[in-house]
Amino acid sequence: MRIRPLLLPLATTAAVLGTLALAAPASSTAPSPTGLAVHSESVLGAAGPAANPSVAPGGNFDLSVWELQEPVGSPGSPTTISSSRLQGANGFQDAYFYTDGRDGAMTFWAPEKGVTTPNSHYARSELREMNRDGSHANWALAGSHRLNATLRVVSVTSNVCVGQIHLGSGGSSTKPLVELYYRANGDIVLGTENSPSGGQTLHTVGHVAVGKTWSYTIGVSEGHTIDMTVNGSTTHYAIPSSFNGYRQYFKAGSYNQSSSSSTTNGARVAFYQLGVAHS
């Protein structure tokens, strides 16, 4: 199995396998060294006592297999931060992507008003899976693929997507295969796309209060089954054959699902573990 761990050498075997859950603070904001509002999050074991709250997210996480999209830039063309800029203790961070000054958590902020992609009305601060050679990840459904995360939604206006399997090459569709939503009422809802042309079926897969830590695994098995695990409880969903010609990639972060003229309302999401595995 080819594992892409998201930690520096402090990662344990459990962390590499995406099984390490980390504690999160109860409060949601704290002043950062840079003057930004900071919140909790970290990837694969970096948060908590092992994380350094004084460095950029790349100092606590291996971000070599991700690039970042932010809700700024020109209309229809959000700013993208390359994996090379994200890496290291002095790597990129700003008001939309930063380290929590209390526990080293990696935090994503997406306001209701922000620059969006041409195919969406919603702003996002979100990681997109990459290959280590700098190319975009674009894997076939065949085999086994897993995105593991431990996180908490610090604040949300109505609804935020915290994880995706998105369509890559293979056709003209720009739809996701899978989106995992967190609602303001605490419901965790999986959206499975009915076909590359659109239409989504929703499945409630858990419930966690806002601000509480929880874990998920979004997986694909044998090329035809979606495996969804929330806090240890797993459900399975068939992948329609119309997706067979498409390749895929993972996304994770804060993809806000509401829009308005407000730059203060939105979704803030903190990750305490994040790992990708393919075999």
Side-chain angles (χ1 to χ4, degrees), residues 12-279:
T12 63
T13 301
V16 170
L17 294 177
T19 59
L20 182 60
L22 300 151
S27 58
S28 62
T29 61
S32 75
T34 60
L36 303 175
V38 282
H39 309 256
S40 305
E41 155 189 339
S42 114
V43 225
L44 226 89
N52 184 346
S54 299
V55 299
N60 289 317
F61 303 90
D62 178 359
L63 297 178
S64 63
V65 295
W66 301 98
E67 70 176 15
L68 175 69
Q69 187 178 84
E70 294 202 318
V72 294
S74 57
S77 183
T79 296
T80 298
I81 309 301
S82 67
S83 59
S84 61
R85 292 183 62 195
L86 295 176
Q87 294 175 53
N90 296 314
F92 177 87
Q93 63 176 330
D94 65 1
Y96 304 100
F97 175 75
Y98 56 87
T99 297
D100 188 306
R102 297 162 303 177
D103 64 2
M106 180 173 62
T107 305
F108 300 80
W109 163 244
E112 292 197 332
K113 181 181 180 180
V115 174
T116 70
T117 63
N119 299 304
S120 176
H121 300 295
Y122 305 128
R124 73 187 81 196
S125 175
E126 189 178 39
L127 295 173
R128 193 258 198 231
E129 186 186 6
M130 303 290 288
N131 297 316
R132 291 196 182 276
D133 64 3
S135 62
H136 285 125
N138 193 40
W139 38 267
L141 284 172
S144 177
H145 313 277
R146 295 287 182 269
L147 172 66
N148 307 296
T150 300
L151 69 157
R152 70 186 181 102
V153 176
V154 178
S155 62
V156 59
T157 306
S158 62
N159 185 23
V160 59
C161 177
V162 297
Q164 298 188 56
I165 301 175
H166 203 283
L167 298 186
S169 64
S172 60
S173 178
T174 60
K175 300 290 185 181
L177 175 66
V178 166
E179 290 180 289
L180 184 63
Y181 303 110
Y182 181 90
R183 314 287 201 202
N185 66 358
D187 285 346
I188 301 165
V189 178
L190 180 70
T192 56
E193 206 72 11
N194 299 331
S195 79
S197 299
Q200 195 174 71
T201 300
L202 300 177
H203 319 267
T204 300
V205 293
H207 182 91
V208 176
V210 174
K212 298 297 184 181
T213 305
W214 55 285
S215 297
Y216 73 72
T217 299
I218 302 173
V220 173
S221 296
E222 306 301 327
H224 52 68
T225 303
I226 295 164
D227 308 308
M228 183 71 240
T229 301
V230 174
N231 287 342
S233 178
T234 302
T235 49
H236 306 279
Y237 308 91
I239 299 174
S241 60
S242 53
F243 289 100
N244 288 350
Y246 281 89
R247 301 178 79 86
Q248 318 287 329
Y249 57 91
F250 287 120
K251 303 187 81 175
S254 176
Y255 178 19
N256 198 0
Q257 298 294 294
S258 59
S259 63
S260 73
S261 59
S262 175
T263 58
T264 55
N265 293 331
R268 198 178 306 272
V269 183
F271 280 74
Y272 294 88
Q273 178 266 337
L274 187 63
V276 174
H278 299 283
S279 64

